[in-house]
Amino acid sequence: PQGVATLDGTLSGDMTASGTITSPRLDGYLHFDSATVTADMLGTRFTFAPTPIRVDSNIVRFDRFAIKGANDNPLTVDGTVDINTLSQPAIDIRLAAANMQVLKSERRRGQDAYGKAFIDLDATVRGDMRLLTVNANLSLLSGSNLTYVLGGSTTDLPSLAGSTDAVRFVQFSDSTAVTDADTIAGSSMALMLNARLNINDGTTINVDLSAGNAQDRAQLVGNGALTFTMSPFADMRLTGRYNINSGYVRYSPPLMS
């Protein structure tokens, strides 16, 4: 999508369709040829391996499929996606990476982050489009020096509450209005996320306090262990401990006239 990622390369394959219109059966394979994706928010390019992705009786199978980072160390994907029900594919995927560089870029207009970042990752993704459960262990490795640009987001995050008012007044004598006001609209997909983040010694985290001035920034050098959870109701919680070994905050307030 524009503003999110840029794709380049070729996707090809050989697929046989049998069965009926209402219950098709797919068999074959897909593979990428010199295919890359650049995440706009990171300004970093990732490369897809040419390893074939098999499709057996509507089961898409990933067998150590690799997505290479900026240092050529891969994120490997193993598992299956069951597309017997196309509208609700069943996902059972494991993701793993060791010393993968997920950030390698200079400061550019419109980016959310820049610098360099190396990670270890062990994660599972299970469920379907109604409920996805993600469990992840992520380590930010020594040598990482990344900067987040405050106010530099390439996309606007949608409000979890939607566009309606937080408080809505209705007449209790109007049963229709009471029912509508007391009903929580279901989302298209719910996410259960449990992520543990380990920040190793030798990492530097910066925040540019102004998208237009890289001199205004905060810097933290330290280590820690944090846990981020999110429920299907979009309740989010961050717990843990971060030890600050050194750092600074530099900010030039705007001149008042």
Side-chain angles (χ1 to χ4, degrees):
Q2 186 175 6
V4 177
T6 303
L7 293 168
D8 191 24
T10 303
L11 174 65
S12 60
D14 185 9
M15 198 70 60
T16 300
S18 58
T20 65
I21 296 295
T22 57
S23 183
R25 171 176 166 171
L26 301 177
D27 294 276
Y29 70 91
L30 300 168
H31 76 89
F32 293 95
D33 184 10
S34 302
T36 63
V37 58
T38 301
D40 292 351
M41 67 178 292
L42 303 177
T44 304
R45 184 170 64 181
F46 302 91
T47 304
F48 294 102
T51 308
I53 302 171
R54 294 184 294 115
V55 181
D56 300 323
S57 300
N58 292 343
I59 307 295
V60 182
R61 301 186 183 277
F62 295 91
D63 184 11
R64 295 194 60 79
F65 180 77
I67 303 172
K68 292 184 178 180
N71 60 351
D72 282 339
N73 288 348
L75 168 72
T76 58
V77 184
D78 287 283
T80 61
V81 178
D82 186 337
I83 57 174
N84 275 290
T85 304
L86 289 174
S87 61
Q88 293 292 343
I91 301 170
D92 186 358
I93 293 292
R94 180 164 188 168
L95 308 171
N99 192 30
M100 177 186 182
Q101 187 170 6
V102 294
L103 180 62
K104 182 183 180 181
S105 62
E106 303 293 331
R107 179 184 170 101
R108 294 187 181 89
R109 183 180 179 85
Q111 282 183 201
D112 289 342
Y114 64 93
K116 57 182 179 179
F118 306 87
I119 65 165
D120 287 346
L121 175 66
D122 184 11
T124 58
V125 182
R126 295 188 174 98
D128 55 30
M129 293 299 101
R130 291 166 296 189
L131 174 62
L132 273 181
T133 300
V134 179
N135 292 292
N137 286 300
L138 174 67
S139 295
L140 185 63
L141 304 181
S142 176
S144 297
N145 189 332
L146 64 151
T147 301
Y148 174 73
V149 182
L150 196 65
S153 177
T154 56
T155 56
D156 292 328
L157 293 177
S159 170
L160 293 175
S163 58
T164 58
D165 294 333
V167 179
R168 181 183 174 191
F169 296 95
V170 299
Q171 289 288 345
F172 285 100
S173 59
D174 186 347
S175 60
T176 303
V178 172
T179 301
D180 291 343
D182 199 37
T183 301
I184 300 176
S187 61
S188 57
M189 184 188 73
L191 177 66
M192 176 76 77
L193 173 63
N194 183 16
R196 180 174 176 83
L197 173 61
N198 296 302
I199 303 172
N200 292 358
D201 282 320
T203 62
T204 302
I205 301 174
N206 309 284
V207 178
D208 282 355
L209 302 176
S210 171
N213 183 4
Q215 298 302 313
D216 294 341
R217 62 163 42 194
Q219 181 181 96
L220 298 175
V221 179
N223 60 77
L226 305 170
T227 299
F228 176 76
T229 59
M230 184 170 70
S231 76
F233 303 105
D235 295 325
M236 292 178 283
R237 179 174 296 181
L238 179 66
T239 59
R241 178 172 178 170
Y242 182 76
N243 304 304
I244 301 175
N245 298 327
S246 63
Y248 64 84
V249 177
R250 182 173 57 222
Y251 179 66
S252 303
L255 295 176
M256 305 295 291
S257 58

